[in-house]
Amino acid sequence: MSLDDKLKSLRENGIDEAKRAQRLQELNDLRVNLLGKKGPITKALRGMKDVPAEKRPEIGTLANNVKKDIQQAIEEKMSELNEKMVAHQLEEEKIDVTLPATKQVQGTKHILNQTIEDIEQFFIGLGYEVAPGYEVEEDHYNFERLNIPKDHPARDMQDTFYLSDELLMRTQTSAQEGRDMEAHDFTKGPLKMISPGVVYRRDDDDATHSHQFHQIEGLVVDKNISMADLKGTLEALCRHVFGDEREIRFRPSYFPFTEPSVEVDVSCFNCGGEGCRICKYTGWIEVLGAGLTHPNVLKMSGIDPNEYSGMAFGLGPERFAMLKYGINDIRDFYLNDVRFLEQFKGVN
């Protein structure tokens, strides 16, 4: 058989084998066996030495065409097999879109976050700024700037976690007051701020106490601030949180950083003031502490108490949430029990 006949026969057989292949591996094997360096086409071309010189270009062109034709047949078959494979895979893995989707459990903001954000938005609407402050605070700002020197007995009520002699985990967000009074430019208007955040005290955890809890401290400093301003602000807050019919009352109290100081009670939102288990049959519920800023606190911030006065108040979001939603144990806020948390989806 002549060399050109051998090459034509190899082309015919190669194309035929490519068409009959059923797997991609068969086509890869065919490519290597026919077109590789040790394949029959390469071996056949070794007989070129016996071909007359004038026919060698023709045989060379034929050999190249044979390789191209076989390569094309293999690629066409590969494309066909790939299409079949993709079609089969799509058939096997198709999704019935008429079936109901798997229900995804959606979480919600923690009830404490909802309560804090609701109170923040209330005060932002009154023109207050939000200043969260630092959880690791200096003794100077946490106590001394609040009129609580190192030997003051009020420190015993706020025993806390000390990191050094001068650094501690803050016991109250009131610590931010000194920083804000220092930085504020009173030529541009009054200082109105709230400071929400976590505070720490050495306390025994039980249904109503925790060594770690939240607090929102509020402060206003301006000319002619009075108890009337304080009462009007807190009455609006209590009506916002507990209902439009609420009234508040002040009871004399003591805080080192305010003078005069008061405990603030709100009329019972459960019985309307008639007396029930929630208000201990008094018609009133204690909700926060407040007062007019002590002159010493203003002086330590470089503010003249003869020209400026201030009001301050501190409330606990946990207490507000417990009263509003009838929660009996403060520890429920921190246990991450989904059965408890899911009861408060979008309550604010």
Side-chain angles (χ1 to χ4, degrees), residues 132-196:
Y134 306 98
E135 291 185 29
V136 177
E137 186 55 274
E138 297 178 26
D139 182 278
H140 175 70
Y141 287 102
N142 194 81
F143 289 125
E144 295 183 32
R145 290 292 296 276
L146 295 173
N147 204 31
I148 309 175
K150 291 188 182 296
D151 58 351
H152 200 291
R155 292 202 180 201
D156 295 339
M157 296 184 292
Q158 296 191 23
D159 197 11
T160 186
F161 303 93
Y162 279 85
L163 305 178
S164 69
D165 289 342
E166 296 300 327
L167 289 178
L168 50 85
M169 306 302 292
R170 67 182 177 188
T171 65
Q172 52 201 355
T173 57
S174 313
Q176 184 62 23
E177 289 184 3
R179 296 180 182 276
D180 278 29
M181 284 190 285
E182 284 178 344
H184 188 71
D185 183 357
F186 285 93
T187 64
K188 297 182 179 179
L191 169 61
K192 301 171 71 175
M193 56 82 72
I194 59 170
S195 181

Side-chain angles (χ1 to χ4, degrees), residues 288-301:
L288 58 96
L292 296 185
T293 306
H294 198 291
N296 289 346
V297 174
L298 295 174
K299 287 179 183 178
M300 284 186 281
S301 295

Side-chain angles (χ1 to χ4, degrees), residues 203-211 328-332 334:
D203 212 340
D204 295 325
D205 290 3
D206 57 29
T208 56
H209 298 84
S210 174
H211 67 280
N328 298 318
D329 196 323
I330 193 174
R331 291 168 293 193
D332 287 336
Y334 315 126

Side-chain angles (χ1 to χ4, degrees), residues 73-88:
I74 291 174
E75 290 177 355
E76 289 176 355
K77 188 62 177 182
M78 276 188 167
S79 178
E80 178 185 331
L81 291 179
N82 278 324
E83 290 178 3
K84 288 183 178 180
M85 184 173 65
V86 171
H88 177 74

Side-chain angles (χ1 to χ4, degrees), residues 193-261:
M193 56 82 72
I194 59 170
S195 181
V198 180
V199 298
Y200 305 83
R201 298 182 187 179
R202 200 225 64 78
D203 212 340
D204 295 325
D205 290 3
D206 57 29
T208 56
H209 298 84
S210 174
H211 67 280
Q212 172 183 313
F213 55 97
H214 295 78
Q215 190 180 67
I216 299 177
E217 179 74 13
L219 173 70
V220 176
V221 178
D222 196 7
K223 296 177 180 180
N224 303 316
I225 295 295
S226 69
M227 292 292 281
D229 299 306
L230 179 63
K231 186 173 182 180
T233 299
L234 297 182
E235 191 166 63
L237 170 65
C238 290
R239 287 177 176 175
H240 171 77
V241 175
F242 299 114
D244 292 337
E245 303 303 317
R246 302 284 64 78
E247 301 289 341
I248 67 170
R249 71 176 184 182
F250 286 171
R251 288 182 292 108
S253 186
Y254 168 74
F255 302 109
F257 37 85
T258 53
E259 179 61 39
S261 302

